[in-house]
Amino acid sequence: MVEEEERAKAEEELAEEEEKPPLVVSIKEEEVEEREPPGPPEYEVIYQTPPDKGMVLKYREPPPKDVKPLLVALIVTTLVLPSVLLPDLAAYELSRVICWQEGGFIVLDSSRGGKGFIDGIIKAFTAVRILRIDTKVKPSWECDKSLKVGDKIELPVEEGFYYLIVETEVTYLYFFRTKAYRLVSVNVFPNMRVVKYESKG
Amino acid sequence: MVYDVYMFYDAFLKVIRHAEKHVPKEVLGYLFGNRYKWKDREYTVIKYAFPVRAHASEYYVEPREGELAKMADIAQRKYKVKLMVGWFHSHPGYGCFLSDVDLDSQRRYFFRPYHVALVVDPVRREFAFFKLKGNDYDAVPCQIIRKVKRGWNIGRRGGKS
């Protein structure tokens, strides 16, 4: 009995559904913006058909790709990045400077190691020269600024603890240079050939 | 004076470079931009062209699965354009027209009044825009445009000294 009632109800509902008009969904078209077509003087026309007739047009050989982005990338990688990175490279180089005492002389030895990946990109030459030697016990002493790597410098003291203010100059691409100043502390002992060194950059 | 289609030169260059690079195979891609009206006439502006990876031969091209969704996503997220205004493909060496298959695609997917089909022949160096016209299609008037770059005009400022 219950099943019959349910069936009758379902049939009624179905009949009602069929009587209903089909559901109409209105899709509102997006409003089209009113805007003047692009044209002179803001825009230049490269190719065009007649305004009232479409047709096949010929085009010229496309120009080579704009090299500006490539140029910018080249400048950044060769000029800007090295000037940022190379002072650190110079510090690295400096940490390899070996100082030793030879009868009152310090020899700055350019044992240029260089990191392979930097060498692979840029041909870099590092020049290191001493600007000033400070000591805790003696007044500051300034050596000849024209000294280069490998030059012998006569020390003002025989032994002690020194700060060497050195100027590191990095030349890359053979003509661009960057300079950085580093503080190197050196302990000089009369009977030791190799002295301790450390760099503070 | 209103043309049916305005396409930016950068987008156009992208299409023809892509087509020339892949000769003798056909290439395919989608065009994004917007539609506007002016003096009761609707026109289409194409700002970007996105080539898609496709299964292609000299006489056949079909986008790979998922490429359309990917392009639509890029257009929306990166370039902030939401409207796909048409598609482009190449006919290397056999002229600009819509084949029966092309026409069928146009009817199925690009049936709105602003939808266009750009066909490029990278061998003959020809191109044309088409739109549906009743049961057939027709080439439509178009302009390839480029924004004029403004210089500093240093020499002109201040006149003669």
Side-chain angles (χ1 to χ4, degrees):
Chain A
M1 190 67 183
V2 177
E3 273 181 14
E4 274 178 16
E5 274 177 12
E6 277 179 359
R7 193 181 296 160
K9 201 178 173 183
E11 276 173 3
E12 268 177 29
E13 279 175 2
L14 194 67
E16 273 176 19
E17 282 285 319
E18 281 170 357
E19 280 171 16
K20 274 184 191 172
L23 185 67
V24 178
V25 180
S26 69
I27 301 169
K28 195 184 173 188
E29 278 278 322
E30 234 179 80
E31 280 213 358
V32 183
E33 190 186 330
E34 184 114 10
R35 185 185 282 195
E36 195 176 350
E42 270 191 60
Y43 295 91
E44 61 175 319
V45 178
I46 312 293
Y47 303 108
Q48 65 178 358
T49 61
D52 53 350
K53 191 184 170 209
M55 59 191 291
V56 174
L57 290 175
K58 287 260 181 201
Y59 67 83
R60 294 178 294 275
E61 185 180 357
K65 276 192 177 178
D66 192 2
V67 293
K68 272 184 202 162
L70 287 175
L71 269 180
V72 169
L74 188 70
I75 288 167
V76 167
T77 51
T78 56
L79 302 183
V80 180
L81 282 182
S83 64
V84 176
L85 294 174
L86 282 179
D88 286 337
L89 172 70
Y92 171 78
E93 301 263 350
L94 195 63
S95 71
R96 292 180 62 93
V97 170
I98 300 166
C99 307
W100 71 91
Q101 186 191 12
E102 269 186 357
F105 288 88
I106 272 189
V107 178
L108 286 177
D109 179 24
S110 164
S111 53
R112 186 174 168 277
K115 287 181 181 175
F117 76 96
I118 291 286
D119 278 350
I121 301 166
I122 300 143
K123 192 71 180 169
F125 297 97
T126 303
V128 181
R129 59 180 178 158
I130 293 172
L131 288 183
R132 198 165 68 238
I133 297 176
D134 286 340
T135 168
K136 281 176 181 175
V137 292
K138 300 270 181 180
S140 293
W141 174 85
E142 198 163 306
C143 73
D144 186 355
K145 287 182 182 175
S146 64
L147 286 171
K148 293 282 167 54
V149 173
D151 287 350
K152 286 184 176 182
I153 304 158
E154 193 170 355
L155 284 173
V157 288
E158 287 180 353
E159 69 175 84
F161 181 72
Y162 305 95
Y163 284 116
L164 274 63
I165 298 171
V166 299
E167 180 190 74
T168 60
E169 186 179 89
V170 179
T171 309
Y172 53 96
L173 291 178
Y174 299 98
F175 44 86
F176 294 104
R177 291 176 183 176
T178 58
K179 284 183 179 177
Y181 298 92
R182 307 281 164 186
L183 191 68
V184 181
S185 63
V186 181
N187 282 312
V188 179
F189 303 99
N191 298 323
M192 288 181 70
R193 183 170 172 75
V194 179
V195 295
K196 274 177 71 178
Y197 65 91
E198 57 180 289
S199 70
K200 293 173 183 175
Chain B
M1 195 177 298
V2 181
Y3 287 75
D4 281 53
V5 182
Y6 296 85
M7 184 172 190
F8 279 81
Y9 188 52
D10 285 350
F12 179 72
L13 277 182
K14 197 169 179 181
V15 171
I16 58 175
R17 280 187 181 134
H18 184 63
E20 293 198 357
K21 187 180 165 190
H22 289 85
V23 169
K25 285 187 177 176
E26 288 193 15
V27 296
L28 171 78
Y30 299 107
L31 305 169
F32 286 83
N34 214 336
R35 63 181 173 138
Y36 301 99
K37 68 175 177 184
W38 183 250
K39 292 178 180 169
D40 291 329
R41 198 167 160 196
E42 218 173 279
Y43 63 92
T44 306
V45 174
I46 302 163
K47 286 184 85 175
Y48 304 104
F50 296 103
V52 295
R53 289 186 304 162
H55 303 289
S57 71
E58 287 89 334
Y59 306 103
Y60 167 83
V61 65
E62 185 185 47
R64 290 192 195 175
E65 201 176 327
E67 284 294 303
L68 176 57
K70 199 170 107 187
M71 284 304 118
D73 188 47
I74 291 172
Q76 199 166 345
R77 283 201 297 172
K78 193 173 174 187
Y79 297 99
K80 312 291 179 203
V81 285
K82 292 176 182 173
L83 196 63
M84 186 185 285
V85 292
W87 65 304
F88 72 83
H89 70 288
S90 64
H91 286 173
Y94 51 95
C96 297
F97 61 93
L98 291 184
S99 68
D100 288 345
V101 179
D102 299 336
L103 191 55
D104 188 51
S105 300
Q106 191 76 10
R107 283 193 194 118
R108 278 168 188 263
Y109 309 111
F110 298 99
F111 49 82
R112 298 268 180 192
Y114 58 84
H115 279 154
V116 296
L118 164 62
V119 182
V120 174
D121 184 336
V123 177
R124 297 185 192 176
R125 292 211 160 118
E126 290 174 350
F127 71 97
F129 288 93
F130 301 103
K131 273 186 178 181
L132 289 177
K133 190 182 179 186
N135 287 329
D136 207 358
Y137 71 93
D138 205 2
V140 290
C142 68
Q143 274 192 339
I144 307 295
I145 53 166
R146 177 167 56 186
K147 195 152 193 171
V148 175
K149 285 177 185 169
R150 302 252 174 246
W152 286 95
N153 293 334
I154 293 166
R156 291 180 191 177
R157 190 179 274 185
K160 284 182 181 179
S161 57

